[in-house]
Amino acid sequence: MAGPFKIHTPFPPAGDQPKAISLLIEGIEKGLRHQTLLGVTGSGKTFSIANVIQAVGKPTLVLAHNKTLAAQLAQEYKEFFPENAVHYFVSYYDYYQPEAYIAHSDTYIEKEAQINAEIDRLRHAATQALLTRKDVIIVASVSAIYGLGSPAEYEKKHVKLVVGAEENRAALIRKFVDIYFERTNADLEPGKLRAVGNTMEIMPVNERVIYRIVFDEHLISRIECLDPISRAKTGEPDSLFVFPAKHFVSSEEDRARAIEDIQKELDERLAQLKREEKVLEHERLKRRTQHDLALIREIGYTTGIENYSRHFDGRAPGEAPHTLLSYFPKKKDGTPDFLTVIDESHVTVTQIGGMYAGDRSRKDVLVEHGFRLPSARDNRPLQFAEFEERVGQVIYTSATPGKYEKEKSVPPDGQVAEQIIRPTGLIDPELVIKPIVETEGTKGQIQDFIDEAAVVIARGGRALATTLTKQMAEDLSEFLKERGIKAEYLHSDVKTIDRIEILTEFRRGTFDILVGVNLLREGLDLPEVELVGILDADKEGFLRSDTSLIQTIGRAARNVLGKVILYADVMTGSLTRAIEETERRRTIQLAYNKKHNITPATIKKEIKDIAESMRSEHQKTVDGLLQLDRKLFEEDPEGFIIDKRQQMADAVEALDFETAALLRDEIYVLEGKSAPQKKGPKGKRGR
């Protein structure tokens, strides 16, 4: 019997893939809790896992250690499973400064955040898919272990509409407001609704579609699906399910109970502070919490409400919060019934394990000094032991598995599947060691890298350079540009979507050299890269450990001309181990190619804009209008703007707010009031 997943690919498994796939499937069928896929860079680990998912047929969580890698994996799984539900779940903050207090300088830092609406929409799409489908793959960052709200409440609070059913228009509006939809008379955005005459229009939070509900007295006569830009009708469904606009949902009863519990905790904490003669902390906590309670009573919400999540959820002190993992299915005995894949596990596992301690340390200071109630500590990520309990069978994938994965994957409870032979016959890149410091007869690492990169660029290839700090990456990028070389930098301060666009532009050849720090190590699939320069390779530490060096070397393993230059003045232990492991793999790969008469070939991978699905449809339409109208505007700027303003006014009068918004934003750009964001380092891209 066929399972829910159907993989689409023109190529059958090859190289070491068939053996690894078979071993992993067998391990899952045997009930092994932990397995490791030790696959060299470019050996097709994602393809192997896709085959395992198809065979196992369970909902799957794929965890990645950063948003860029998660976006790339989501795109790959969408290509493998176009008929199934593949979703992207990462933190929706473009910028996030958590609430904190620095005691020694008496400095309070208020929480500050900038939410990306598109990523928020994708998060809702992911959770709703988990609650409504079986064929689901969620590619997530470490955001998956942070508090998310009860899936039971989220599912219970949905609104179901059926054509022909009796429904009062005013009562329906109240239902949507109760699940955090906002009423508007302007543009419809995800999580908003508007009502005109005998119709109501709503845009769910999980998709860019308008649903128009038409009433005939107290009956729903029809439901129309409209394109949000053109307002063309794209369908007429018989029914519609609408989930809440926020993941944190509570009933009136829950809210009343939470207010009572918060007040009780406040009284107990104030009594304790009074006994300890902490007058300032007592007054600070009293004022702040009573202010929050007043807002919760009046409007049901307050800034920082997540710090009271334990009371709203009805959890006991110290009990773990609901997270994305809570939305995955469970067996009748309550154990997880899904597959977990931890990509680049040597980094991701460590990252998951470190989240709780940092969060707890910050919360302890806030509680101690009267900024928060002790229950704020329970608004937290999962502890590692809690994470282990909440995931099912796990497959770790990495070219350099860490100590944890190795220990967990020991028989009889686990196993390791190796993928050293690439389907393309590619071998690990050639390694060359050169000096860092310029001496008589040598150029020094920067000039040497520039000269080596020039050769690669001349034949159409790309080059990567890895530095030790963000500042070094930015400075080197500027240095290269000053010399007429098309270069760009990439590091963790660059915004999520911008990072993805940088990688796409790099592959397309918009620039030839990409300079980075840690983001260039794991999981970046860049087959155009012929040269990798590892600057200061002999500086022992996290970024120059044997694991890091092997991962960085792997960036050149997808191209038949791949070459890595290690700039080092001394041979460290990490360098020695990395070189030995690379040579071991090269020996195995060369022997296999010789035995099977294989000529290596560079990996061919279509260049796609991963960020395309994350861009606002509104902005893309505005950009299209600008392309069409720019010439007419240049011929008669004043007359053109007057005409556009009249069109906008006509659209408003006709209640066509989407068209009016498009015209408004086009006018702003043409008048120079809102220019498209420039891209590039130091204030030009995501700075």
Side-chain angles (χ1 to χ4, degrees), residues 119-185:
I119 294 180
D120 188 31
R121 181 180 68 80
L122 296 175
R123 286 165 62 94
H124 278 280
T127 52
Q128 291 179 28
L130 283 170
L131 295 175
T132 56
R133 301 180 65 159
K134 298 292 185 185
D135 60 333
V136 182
I137 299 171
I138 307 293
V139 183
S141 68
V142 74
S143 180
I145 68 168
Y146 278 78
L148 190 61
S150 167
E153 285 296 320
Y154 184 71
E155 185 174 21
K156 185 170 70 177
K157 292 291 183 180
H158 77 266
V159 175
K160 181 181 180 181
L161 304 175
V162 179
V163 173
E166 187 173 331
E167 190 69 67
N168 180 277
R169 175 179 169 276
L172 183 59
I173 291 172
R174 287 195 294 272
K175 283 183 185 178
F176 283 124
V177 171
D178 285 343
I179 59 172
Y180 306 106
F181 276 81
E182 294 180 30
R183 189 171 180 179
T184 182
N185 290 321

Side-chain angles (χ1 to χ4, degrees), residues 160-165 211-213 220-225 235-241:
K160 181 181 180 181
L161 304 175
V162 179
V163 173
Y211 288 99
R212 190 166 185 261
I213 300 132
I220 297 176
S221 64
R222 66 181 183 276
I223 300 172
E224 298 174 345
C225 183
E236 197 167 314
D238 295 326
S239 61
L240 173 65
F241 287 83

Side-chain angles (χ1 to χ4, degrees), residues 142-316:
V142 74
S143 180
I145 68 168
Y146 278 78
L148 190 61
S150 167
E153 285 296 320
Y154 184 71
E155 185 174 21
K156 185 170 70 177
K157 292 291 183 180
H158 77 266
V159 175
K160 181 181 180 181
L161 304 175
V162 179
V163 173
E166 187 173 331
E167 190 69 67
N168 180 277
R169 175 179 169 276
L172 183 59
I173 291 172
R174 287 195 294 272
K175 283 183 185 178
F176 283 124
V177 171
D178 285 343
I179 59 172
Y180 306 106
F181 276 81
E182 294 180 30
R183 189 171 180 179
T184 182
N185 290 321
D187 304 340
L188 268 188
E189 298 173 357
K192 292 189 176 183
L193 66 92
R194 67 179 173 223
V196 180
N198 68 334
T199 67
M200 186 176 73
E201 295 180 343
I202 186 166
M203 184 179 286
V205 286
N206 65 313
E207 54 184 335
R208 286 281 182 180
V209 171
I210 293 174
Y211 288 99
R212 190 166 185 261
I213 300 132
V214 183
F215 294 88
D216 183 1
E217 294 185 350
H218 294 303
L219 294 177
I220 297 176
S221 64
R222 66 181 183 276
I223 300 172
E224 298 174 345
C225 183
L226 307 178
D227 182 278
I229 306 301
S230 67
R231 294 188 61 81
K233 188 165 78 170
T234 58
E236 197 167 314
D238 295 326
S239 61
L240 173 65
F241 287 83
V242 181
F243 281 84
K246 297 182 186 296
H247 280 111
F248 292 93
V249 181
S250 60
S251 63
E252 286 292 337
E253 295 79 11
D254 289 337
R255 193 177 306 160
R257 176 184 46 74
I259 290 171
E260 186 178 331
D261 290 347
I262 293 167
Q263 185 65 58
K264 182 180 178 182
E265 185 189 10
L266 175 62
D267 293 341
E268 293 172 353
R269 179 61 175 162
L270 290 177
Q272 180 185 357
L273 292 172
K274 190 173 183 179
R275 288 194 301 271
E276 296 172 356
E277 298 183 350
K278 293 184 175 181
V279 180
L280 176 61
E281 289 81 355
H282 179 283
E283 187 62 24
R284 179 184 285 154
L285 183 65
K286 180 181 178 181
R287 286 188 179 186
R288 178 167 205 170
T289 310
Q290 286 182 342
H291 175 262
D292 286 347
L293 283 171
L295 287 173
I296 293 170
R297 286 191 189 98
E298 292 299 320
I299 63 175
Y301 183 81
T302 182
T303 302
I305 195 171
E306 64 274 7
N307 289 290
Y308 305 107
S309 61
R310 191 190 85 196
H311 297 293
F312 283 93
D313 292 344
R315 288 183 279 130

Side-chain angles (χ1 to χ4, degrees), residues 634-653:
E634 290 171 353
E635 291 174 356
D636 181 11
E638 186 176 348
F640 186 83
I641 292 295
I642 291 172
D643 184 52
K644 283 289 178 181
R645 287 193 180 280
Q646 183 58 51
Q647 291 178 33
M648 183 174 68
D650 293 342
V652 171
E653 188 175 345

Side-chain angles (χ1 to χ4, degrees), residues 496-535:
T496 306
I497 294 180
D498 286 344
R499 290 182 224 169
I500 300 165
E501 289 179 339
I502 288 172
L503 293 170
T504 304
E505 290 171 6
F506 178 58
R507 291 197 61 204
R508 286 175 175 157
T510 305
F511 48 92
D512 301 312
I513 298 179
L514 188 58
V515 186
V517 191
N518 198 23
L519 285 175
L520 296 182
R521 291 194 297 111
E522 294 91 2
L524 299 181
D525 191 354
L526 306 169
E528 294 79 14
V529 172
E530 295 182 13
L531 174 68
V532 174
I534 304 178
L535 306 181

